[in-house]
Amino acid sequence: GREIAYRAFLADCGPGLVTFATWSVLCAEHGNDWHEWPEELRDPGSEAVAGVRAKRAADVDFYCWLQWVLDEQLRAVQDEAHDIGMPIGLVQDLAVGVHPAGADAWALQDVLAGGIHVGAPPDAFNQQGQDWSQPPWRPDALAEAAFAPYRDMLRTILRHAGGIRVDHVLGLFRLWWVPEGMKPYQGTYVRFDHEALVGILVLEAQRAGAFVVGEDLGTVEDWIQDYLLQRGVMGTSILWFERHPNGDIRRPHEIRQHVLASVTVHDLPPTAGYLAGEHVRIRGELGLLTRSEEEERADLEAELGQWRARLREYGLLAEDDESEHGLLIGLHRYLAITPAVMLGISLPDAVGDRRAQNQPGTDQEYPNWKIPLCDADGDAVLL
C-alpha cells in the first residue's frame, strides 16, 4: 500500500521532484553552492547531470522518498488540526524569492534573472534600502514558459494548507532589482504581468480550498490594494503603520476589514521590544541609521505618546498607567475593536520576549531567525 502511495506521489509531483532530488545528490558530493560545482554540472539539463541521475538512481530515489515522508507528515498535521476543530489548519508562507545557491535557482536558471538580487528601496525603517540576495523571476522568460514554474510552486505549497500568506505581495506587480555589486538604493523597479500572476495565485488557492493573504505593507498604491481585494486577496494591517498621510493614527473603524491585522510584524521587535526602542538600538549599533540615534528615540517617544493618548480616548488604557505592560495590552485591545476579519497574535508578545527575530537589511550582522523564544527575563520558553 505504501509503495502504491509513493508511486502516486512521484506521478503527482512530476519531474520537478526528480530535479530537486538530483540537486540533493550533487550537493552531497560537491557542496551546497552549485555555482562552485564542476562546469558541466551547473546546467540541470546537461548530459553530465543526466549521467549522474542514471548512475545514482537509487540515491535520487532516496531523496524523492524523503520528500514523500515530509509530505505525509504535513498531511498528518493538517488532518489532526481539522480533527481537533481548526477549520483552517496550516497557513503556509510564500517567500518573495529563493536562495541563490539553492535547488530552485539551479533548476530554474532559464526563468530566473542571473546577476540580480531582489530587495527594497529606502524607507523609514531601512533607510539604506534592502538587498535580500534572491534572484527574481524574469518576466519575459516566465511568460514564455506559460507561467508553469510559478504554477507548480503554488500547487506544491498549497498541497496541505488552509491558507497562504504571500510575502511582499507587491512582487506580483513589480520588484526592486539590485544588480550584483551595487548598493540597495541603486536598484530600480521592474514590472510584472500582475493579472497573470494574481490570476494563477487565486485559481490555485481556489482549487486547494485555501484563502490568500497578501503582505501589502510599505509603498503599495491604493489601486493595488483595491485590485487584490477585487480578486479575493486579503491584505495585511500592522498597527504601528496605520497612520494617515498627515501622521495621525487611524481610528479603529478606519482600518480595513478584509485584512490579517496584528500589532507588530516579524521584521520589527516584539511589542515589548519596540516600546523599549530595540529597533532603534539595533540599527544604531549596526550603522543602519541615516540620522542620529537621539533623533530616532525622540520620534519613538512622540509616537508612543500619541498611542497612549489614543488608547485613553477609547478607554483602553488607564490615565495613570504609564507601564510598558499596560501599553502592550492596550494596543491589543485596540486591535480587537477594529473590523479586521482576521487577527494575528505574536507568540513573543504572548510570553514577553523583547528581542527581534529578524533585522531587515542584514545578513551576517544579526542572528536572524536564530534567537530562541524567551520570556521577559531572557529565560527560554519551552513547549
Side-chain angles (χ1 to χ4, degrees):
R2 287 182 61 76
E3 178 70 19
I4 293 172
Y6 175 52
R7 294 301 162 191
F9 173 76
L10 291 177
D12 191 30
C13 291
L17 174 62
V18 177
T19 301
F20 170 79
T22 304
W23 173 86
S24 300
V25 169
L26 291 170
C27 269
E29 183 172 346
H30 299 287
N32 291 331
D33 188 346
W34 59 270
H35 298 91
E36 300 176 357
W37 294 353
E39 185 74 31
E40 66 274 12
L41 298 179
R42 298 176 193 174
D43 178 2
S46 71
E47 292 184 4
V49 170
V52 171
R53 187 159 46 238
K55 183 179 179 180
R56 305 279 299 276
D59 294 326
V60 171
D61 188 57
F62 172 69
Y63 282 106
C64 289
W65 176 84
L66 286 178
Q67 291 300 305
W68 176 57
V69 172
L70 291 171
D71 187 77
E72 281 195 316
Q73 293 173 344
L74 269 179
R75 183 192 301 276
V77 170
Q78 183 69 339
D79 289 347
E80 183 172 351
H82 288 163
D83 290 344
I84 63 175
M86 299 173 68
I88 293 172
L90 292 172
V91 180
Q92 296 282 14
D93 192 276
L94 178 63
V96 67
V98 298
H99 197 290
D104 301 85
W106 176 72
L108 301 174
Q109 295 175 59
D110 54 339
V111 290
L112 293 175
I116 299 292
H117 294 174
V118 171
D123 60 32
F125 286 90
N126 299 280
Q127 296 157 348
Q128 299 182 25
Q130 300 177 54
D131 181 343
W132 303 329
S133 80
Q134 302 127 321
W137 296 112
R138 269 184 51 185
D140 56 341
L142 195 57
E144 290 173 5
F147 299 93
Y150 172 69
R151 177 206 63 195
D152 293 344
M153 176 184 66
L154 291 172
R155 287 184 178 178
T156 300
I157 200 170
L158 287 165
R159 282 176 65 85
H160 310 300
I164 181 173
R165 172 195 172 274
V166 181
D167 188 40
H168 195 63
V169 75
L170 181 63
L172 302 182
F173 298 78
R174 66 171 187 260
L175 274 174
W176 186 255
W177 284 27
V178 181
E180 287 183 357
M182 297 182 71
K183 300 294 185 181
Y185 55 80
Q186 295 176 308
T188 190
Y189 275 118
V190 174
R191 299 190 179 276
F192 290 81
D193 184 348
H194 66 272
E195 292 185 344
L197 294 179
V198 175
I200 294 169
L201 169 65
V202 297
L203 174 62
E204 295 302 327
Q206 173 72 14
R207 286 175 169 170
F211 68 83
V212 182
V213 172
E215 189 262 294
D216 58 353
L217 306 173
T219 55
V220 180
E221 296 97 324
D222 290 343
W223 76 265
I224 292 179
Q225 293 180 335
D226 293 341
Y227 179 84
L228 291 171
L229 181 59
Q230 291 167 6
R231 301 307 306 270
V233 177
M234 289 189 291
T236 302
S237 171
I238 307 300
L239 275 193
W240 295 128
F241 304 151
E242 287 293 349
R243 289 177 176 269
H244 291 289
N246 65 1
D248 290 345
I249 297 171
R250 295 185 192 274
R251 297 184 179 276
H253 70 275
E254 294 175 324
I255 292 177
R256 291 177 291 162
Q257 177 181 5
H258 298 285
V259 295
L260 169 61
S262 59
V263 174
T264 189
V265 68
H266 58 269
D267 287 335
L268 292 173
T271 304
Y274 189 92
L275 300 179
E278 274 291 287
H279 55 301
V280 177
R281 181 190 66 79
I282 293 171
R283 288 182 296 146
E285 290 181 356
L286 297 180
L288 299 176
L289 296 175
T290 57
R291 58 178 186 164
S292 71
E293 189 171 331
E294 290 73 20
E295 290 177 286
E296 292 283 338
R297 288 196 176 276
D299 278 0
L300 174 62
E301 287 305 312
E303 176 187 5
L304 298 184
Q306 292 171 344
W307 270 109
R308 288 190 177 92
R310 179 55 55 86
L311 295 177
R312 286 169 179 146
E313 178 183 346
Y314 281 83
L316 305 175
L317 180 67
E319 288 292 338
D320 59 348
D321 190 348
E322 295 289 333
S323 69
E324 180 183 284
H325 182 73
L327 184 52
L328 185 148
I329 297 300
L331 289 165
H332 284 85
R333 288 173 171 162
Y334 196 87
L335 184 72
I337 62 174
T338 70
V341 295
M342 298 187 72
L343 303 181
I345 305 300
S346 163
L347 183 57
D349 278 356
V351 299
D353 204 347
R354 305 168 72 92
R355 300 168 305 163
Q357 282 292 326
N358 180 51
Q359 176 54 51
T362 64
D363 178 20
Q364 303 300 318
E365 302 92 332
Y366 188 80
N368 295 322
W369 313 118
K370 299 175 184 177
I371 295 176
L373 186 69
C374 291
D375 61 20
D377 297 323
D379 296 325
V381 176
L382 307 177
L383 289 178

